[in-house]
Amino acid sequence: MKDVQSERDERRVPLKKVGVKNIEWPLKVLDKSKGYQHTVARVSLSVDLKHYMRGTHMSRFVEVLNDLEMLSPKALEDILAKIKEKLQAESSHLEMSFPYFIWKDSPVSGLASPLKIEAIIRAEKSAESAITMGVSVPVHTLCPCSREISESGAHNQRAVVEIYVRSRKMIWFENLVEIAEKNASCPIYTLLKRPDEKFVTERAYQNAKFVEDVTRDVALELERDDRIEWYRVEVTSFESIHNHDAFACVEKGWLEDAD
């Protein structure tokens, strides 16, 4: 059969990324406390496309993905290397996100329930490989300004802390979740009884933080971790008394900017 994708293209326009996106894929992921857990990832795979190539062979991406059962750095490197080889590309790219569950005990009653976070992996291979891992963690923030100017109470809301890192050694999703939660006004819990609710609301009131505060505190903790080569933090607050969201972000390198 005629291979139309392999026809020569005369427009001389190279493409940065060509591929498939939003493939849903069953996956086993390492779990710090339970060994592993099953999830379903949403995966995108792509390659660069040379200016003289009309198209790529989309089915080959899925063929390579067939080898992915357990998520690991080696498995990602193997997939990227095979994609480069099969599609004769100079660089290959992979992005995936998936729900990941962490079992947490309620702060007073001690009742266990799973908290869902979003895990993110971004990987690419050209001459060398680079893997970025990330988490999107729900947390609780309470406004210091609102607390200061109000006779009673303060506006508070759910927020999300996004952390992305490239590291020299193994870092668990749980490690990043812990950093996000400890630097918020208070963690989020799936199951709360009345004593737990009392604890959470009072804890947040005593620990009021702007999104700027959370972002800076998370960055400082990541800066102290020798395993981490690069990081990016973004915190978004879903404001309870405004018709907009508030956010702040920072990326490694701020020390040089501060100087």
Side-chain angles (χ1 to χ4, degrees), residues 135-154:
V135 292
S136 179
V137 186
V139 297
H140 183 179
T141 59
L142 185 139
C143 178
C145 181
S146 176
R147 187 184 69 173
E148 182 68 24
I149 64 178
S150 302
E151 292 185 6
S152 60

Side-chain angles (χ1 to χ4, degrees), residues 16 80 91-94 122-126 128-131:
K16 176 60 178 174
L80 292 171
S91 62
S92 55
H93 312 268
L94 177 149
R122 295 169 183 161
E124 60 181 274
K125 184 175 182 64
S126 49
E128 298 182 354
S129 299
I131 298 175

Side-chain angles (χ1 to χ4, degrees), residues 12-49:
R12 300 188 59 80
V13 180
L15 301 179
K16 176 60 178 174
K17 288 185 179 181
V18 175
V20 295
K21 62 167 51 177
N22 294 329
I23 303 174
E24 293 189 339
W25 202 261
L27 193 63
K28 285 173 66 175
V29 183
L30 290 174
D31 183 309
K32 188 177 181 181
S33 60
K34 298 180 180 294
Y36 66 87
Q37 60 178 265
H38 293 275
T39 188
V40 177
R42 189 176 296 274
V43 185
S44 298
L45 299 167
S46 60
V47 293
D48 61 332
L49 192 67

Side-chain angles (χ1 to χ4, degrees), residues 15 18 32 39 45 51 90 102 108 122 129-130 132 134 140 160 162 168 175 179 231 240 251:
L15 301 179
V18 175
K32 188 177 181 181
T39 188
L45 299 167
H51 70 85
E90 293 182 359
I102 296 176
V108 179
R122 295 169 183 161
S129 299
T132 301
H140 183 179
V160 168
E162 297 176 59
R168 301 178 182 89
N175 297 146
I179 291 172
Y231 61 81
S240 60
E251 190 170 311

Side-chain angles (χ1 to χ4, degrees), residues 163 174-183 218 221-222:
I163 303 175
E174 287 87 346
N175 297 146
L176 299 181
V177 172
E178 181 182 2
I179 291 172
E181 291 184 333
K182 71 187 290 188
N183 289 294
V218 170
E221 188 151 350
L222 295 172

Side-chain angles (χ1 to χ4, degrees), residues 58-182:
M58 299 294 183
S59 63
R60 295 179 187 177
F61 290 107
V62 184
E63 289 175 351
V64 172
L65 197 58
N66 272 333
D67 296 329
L68 180 61
E69 294 183 1
M70 172 75 84
L71 181 64
S72 70
K74 185 180 184 308
L76 296 175
E77 292 230 14
D78 288 347
I79 286 175
L80 292 171
K82 289 178 182 178
I83 289 174
K84 277 186 63 179
E85 178 185 354
K86 282 181 173 289
L87 295 167
Q88 303 171 34
E90 293 182 359
S91 62
S92 55
H93 312 268
L94 177 149
E95 297 184 16
M96 69 166 64
S97 62
F98 49 87
Y100 185 82
F101 290 89
I102 296 176
W103 283 82
K104 296 175 57 180
D105 294 336
S106 301
V108 179
S109 65
L111 297 173
S113 59
L115 176 75
K116 187 188 84 167
I117 62 110
E118 193 75 11
I120 302 103
I121 300 290
R122 295 169 183 161
E124 60 181 274
K125 184 175 182 64
S126 49
E128 298 182 354
S129 299
I131 298 175
T132 301
M133 66 175 291
V135 292
S136 179
V137 186
V139 297
H140 183 179
T141 59
L142 185 139
C143 178
C145 181
S146 176
R147 187 184 69 173
E148 182 68 24
I149 64 178
S150 302
E151 292 185 6
S152 60
H155 85 77
N156 61 105
Q157 55 275 316
R158 188 162 22 164
V160 168
V161 179
E162 297 176 59
I163 303 175
Y164 302 93
V165 301
R166 290 195 290 270
S167 62
R168 301 178 182 89
K169 296 181 180 179
M170 172 72 173
I171 292 181
W172 294 92
F173 293 122
E174 287 87 346
N175 297 146
L176 299 181
V177 172
E178 181 182 2
I179 291 172
E181 291 184 333
K182 71 187 290 188

